[in-house]
Amino acid sequence: MTIAILGGTRLSIALGNKYLSRGEDVVFGVREEFNGKDIEWKILRMQNNKVFGYCEAINKADVVLICCENEYLPLVCECLCSLEKRDKLVVDCTNGNYHPNFDCNTQYIQEQTEYSRVLKAFNNLGLDYPASDPMELVKETYYCGNGDLDKYRVKKIIELIGFKAIDVGSLQNAPLLEAFYHLRKQICDNKTEKVDYHFKLMSV
């Protein structure tokens, strides 16, 4: 299995390093003008087979984790639309800008690409993870999507790197996961003391 992680974000590096440490084949996809200055990106660029453009990384992968900033989602969607075969598993790890009508990035990706195998996971971590979790409180992630087999694969992909995978139903619940993320972020932003704050869904 080859995993493509798209985006020049902290989340991309964090997830990529976790999968690499488990012996998985990982490639990173970034926009053409991206010039990562963090030491992790410099090390990755020294390896000829790790960092590619969005489209090339997607073509090399079986599973695609989208971890890019919102402004680059149209470029990612263009690459997904260019695929001859729609057989890749696509996992949206991002969060749309909050909207009271619950528009969300996952729905945007599916609508723009007409790609059926889109699921959501890892969005509760945020694009700046692990900086968003300095106390290492986040031990789980929530996922949703359609298709029992695809959901099972995403569950295993989550558990592979040590997170508890919590199934929250079909893809129609993706906007709720984004709202959950924004609510946590709003609470953190409004706290006067500088502490990490985390809450989670209760599962039995």
Side-chain angles (χ1 to χ4, degrees), residues 3-204:
I3 301 173
I5 303 182
L6 308 184
T9 61
R10 289 180 179 270
L11 179 61
S12 296
I13 288 291
L15 293 181
N17 284 338
K18 287 178 182 293
Y19 285 112
L20 286 169
S21 71
R22 299 301 192 276
E24 295 298 320
D25 183 19
V26 178
V27 295
F28 296 84
V30 297
R31 63 190 187 278
E32 290 185 7
E33 69 276 15
F34 176 73
N35 183 23
K37 296 182 179 179
D38 292 340
I39 187 65
E40 293 93 342
W41 285 111
K42 293 180 180 179
I43 292 173
L44 285 172
R45 286 195 178 276
M46 292 172 64
Q47 305 175 53
N48 295 328
N49 61 343
K50 286 301 178 189
V51 183
F52 304 92
Y54 287 145
C55 294
E56 191 172 358
I58 290 172
N59 282 326
K60 291 179 178 294
D62 305 296
V63 178
V64 178
L65 303 184
I66 301 176
C67 303
C68 66
E69 297 91 340
N70 292 343
E71 60 195 287
Y72 303 116
L73 280 178
L75 295 176
V76 172
C77 289
E78 286 180 15
C79 290
L80 289 172
C81 286
S82 70
L83 293 174
E84 292 184 7
K85 294 183 179 180
R86 301 297 181 94
D87 58 348
K88 300 181 189 296
L89 188 63
V90 177
V91 182
D92 173 30
C93 309
T94 68
N95 292 290
N97 294 322
Y98 177 71
H99 192 285
N101 293 331
F102 291 115
D103 290 341
C104 84
N105 284 355
T106 315
Q107 292 175 341
Y108 171 84
I109 293 166
Q110 198 168 44
E111 290 169 1
Q112 293 298 311
T113 63
E114 297 183 353
Y115 196 90
S116 60
R117 301 185 69 197
V118 180
L119 296 89
K120 193 170 195 73
F122 295 119
N123 78 294
N124 64 308
L125 303 182
L127 292 184
D128 58 346
Y129 177 86
S132 59
D133 184 31
M135 298 177 66
E136 299 183 358
L137 296 175
V138 181
K139 305 298 184 183
E140 73 286 304
T141 189
Y142 316 108
Y143 69 101
C144 66
N146 301 328
D148 291 341
L149 181 57
D150 284 345
K151 290 182 70 175
Y152 177 78
R153 290 185 67 193
V154 168
K155 179 177 185 290
K156 291 302 181 183
I157 288 168
I158 292 169
E159 293 174 341
L160 179 63
I161 55 174
F163 287 100
K164 180 180 179 181
I166 300 175
D167 183 352
V168 296
S170 68
L171 195 67
Q172 69 179 6
N173 291 329
L176 299 178
L177 287 185
E178 292 197 3
F180 182 72
Y181 166 80
H182 285 294
L183 180 59
R184 172 189 177 273
K185 189 173 184 300
Q186 190 66 46
I187 291 173
C188 291
D189 291 344
N190 286 336
K191 291 180 74 68
T192 55
E193 64 273 24
K194 190 175 181 180
V195 295
D196 193 22
Y197 186 85
H198 176 64
F199 60 92
K200 63 182 179 179
L201 299 174
M202 299 299 296
S203 61
V204 294

